[in-house]
Each structure stands twice: as C-alpha cells, then as structure tokens.
Amino acid sequence: MRTRIALTLLPLIAALAGSVLVLGPARSAEDCGDGTATSSFTSDDAGGDTAGASAASLGAGVAATSEDEVVIVDSTGERHATPHVGSPAGVLRHARASTGMGTVYVNDVEGQDIVTAVRTDGVVEHPIAGEAAHPTFAPSGEVIWARDFSSLTAWSPSTGAVRSIARPPEATAVFSPLVTPVGELLVVAQEPVPGQEPHGDGLDNVWRYDEARGAWTRLTSFTATADRWTALRTPVVDRDGGVLFVRVRGSASATRAPAFELWRLAGGAASKVRDLPGEMYLAGVTDGGILWNVEQDGQWRLLLDDGRSIRDVGCGGAQVDPRSESDPDIVDQDGTETSTTETDAALADPQLGLLVGDFASAVEAQAVAAAVGPAFRVVGRAEAPLAVAPGTYAVVRNFAPDEDMEAALAAFRSQFPKYAETSYVVPLIEGAAGEE
C-alpha cells in the first residue's frame, strides 16, 4: 500500500490488552533463521510416506518466511524452519499453510514471481509474469492468489490447470484471498473514495465470492472520505471459524500515527475486538493462541499470544512483505532498486516534509514547484519512498523543527486548492538525492 502516513508507526509497546509480555532474553535481528527445530524438505520426502516429511509439507501450523526459509510455528510455539527448495530463492514472502495440503508462498525473483507449493509429494512451482500476492489453499487443493492486485488466479498444483476470477466490479484492487473452513472465498477489496485520486488506497472492505453464481457480496461496511482512510490487513481464520483482521485507520491531514484495531467477522457481521497498541499484523491462529507479526530493527518477528502471556518465537513474517529486502521488480528513475531498508530508515528518524504529487515527469513537477514557491524542490522515489511511486515525481519542502505541520498543510491547501487532494505530510529520507 502506498501510504501517506505522516509519522512513524509505533512499535509494539510492553503489553497487549489483557496479556503480559514474556520475551525472555533479548534477541537481535541477527538471529533470524535459527529455528528451534529444523526439518529439511527434499525429494526423499515424497511418495506419500509423511513420517519424514517437513512441517511445511504437512501444513502443520502457521506458516511464515524468514530470509531463504519457510517457517512453521506449531500450537506449542515450536518453530520449524524448512529451507527453500526449487528455483533459486529471490525474496520469499506471503506463506500460508493448510493442514494436510502443505504450504504455499511466493518466491519473488527479478522479472517474475514463482508461486511455490510445498507438499508431501514434492515441490511444485508456477511462474507468472507479474505480481503474486497472498496465495492460499482451497479445499479442492487449488492455490488461489491475487495477481497484480487486479484479479485472482486459481491454480491446481496437481493438474496444472489455471483459471481467473474477476475482482468485485466496484473494486479498484483485490488482495489477501482467504478460504474459510466451510469453503467460502473471501478477499480484501480496495474501493474508490469520492475526492481521492481514482486509484487511491483509502478504503478497504471484505467481500465474499459465490462460485456458483460468479457473484461478489460485500461483508463489511467501512467508509472513508478524502481525508479519513481505512485499510484492512492480514485476515486469518480463528479457532471458531470466524475471520480476524487488522483495521488501520487514520487521517491523511493528521501528523499523528494511525490507529490499529483487531476486528472479527462472523455470522455476516464485523465487530471490533480491541484496540492494538501499535503497528502489528496477524500471522495466524493456532490452538496455542494468536500469532502476531511485529517489526523489530527492520525485521519481522513472530509473537505468540495465548491470552495470558506473549512470547517471542523468532524471526519470520506471514502475509506481510519483508522489510529488510528490496523488491527485485521495483526500480527507481536512476535504474537502481529501492530497498525497504531505506523506508525503515525514513521511519526510524523521519525528517518530515509537505509533499505534492505525483507527477508523470520531472518537467511537470518543476512547473508545479515554480508555482507553489521557492521552498519546494522536485524529488523522486529515493527521497520519499513512502509517498512517491516508481517512475513518478513530486515536489516537497521540509518543515522547520518547531513548525505547526497541520496548520501549514491546511494553509497550503487553502492557498492552492488545486492540490488540496494531492498534498500530504510525509517522512523523507534525509540526504537522499532529489531531482535537478
């Protein structure tokens, strides 16, 4: 999601509501990939004899990825790491396990994504030209994922058959497909908001697909305005068959961090479970409790919350993109990759600025900079990776240390109403090169 959040998202504070944080000795980001139990999946595991099969091939737990490994966390919090097998590893992301079916994830390599299914009868790969996101197993054994966020693809690892499912007609994007225990296909769909740019990311809702009728039904009724936005992330099935998800909401004109909330969808109705203390996303649910994704020092870590205490079970991210590795397919104007570590640097100690964008060319951006004042300069994605899309440009000015940012943004929008809907307060990477 291209975000317009003004300040860094807060890290997880000492405790969740109703739970006591129990972490034990502090772990550093360097211990990623050191699973407490490791089982390697090789071709020797195939053939139906599951005695020597990996936890990943059995789908026995919640799946995550950590560097070049697939991690399975079981109901006791035991962490099983299985090395990636198959095509050379790029950036591994978006793993999902299904008991008895195996584990599926995306291997993101330059030029294509490879949807990889790890099963007891072997590893099966499906390369695609484009972006694959959030693959998941259906009861039929098909793997379903969002393709380029514009539609869904269903693929049978057994037969190789591939079919497409169109997104809801009201939606501008679709992601996070999820199949419930009763076989219902749910997705998060991005919807247009009056007053926002046509493909803005200010409103998400959960939708259900009726396979027999080929029709979609909206299950949640969140709304948004040009300023107030709602994003839904990481839906997972809970132990009672309901669907948990994280709602992130905020204001594009505010300089405070957005609010994170845990919600539950059951019986056709969505209800808020509780507020969350900061940026955190669902990894999955086991008999041992809820598994959370929480960022620490630029790495995702997995925390197991059993309702009484929370403990760190090691590195790994589920249904989230790695923050320490660059996307092989995102290239800046100068031909270099944009690393997510640059984004982390911007969020860790942000220099805030007032940004107007995006523009298709530097020439167009320079004309806007000249019109809005000499304090503005032209920038590309390198200086504002959270606000500027690859291949586009924006204009920005830095805030003074004691400047009232909300008042300055309001004054700018009043003076230049033409840019009221495309001006934001954003974090900048200090020292990054702008455009001449």
Side-chain angles (χ1 to χ4, degrees), residues 128 131-136 142-155 162-168 173-179 184-189 207-211 215-216:
I128 70 165
E131 189 84 0
H134 309 122
T136 189
E142 282 187 314
V143 176
I144 301 173
W145 66 87
R147 179 165 183 170
D148 294 327
F149 300 98
S150 62
S151 63
L152 300 178
T153 295
W155 161 63
V162 177
R163 61 191 178 93
S164 182
I165 302 172
R167 67 176 184 257
V174 64
F175 54 96
S176 293
L178 178 70
V179 179
E184 292 181 324
L185 173 60
L186 308 183
V187 300
V188 177
W207 290 69
R208 179 180 62 220
Y209 182 65
D210 186 322
E211 182 82 33
W216 290 95

Side-chain angles (χ1 to χ4, degrees), residues 386-397:
L386 294 182
V388 181
T392 66
Y393 301 82
V395 300
V396 67
R397 76 164 178 85

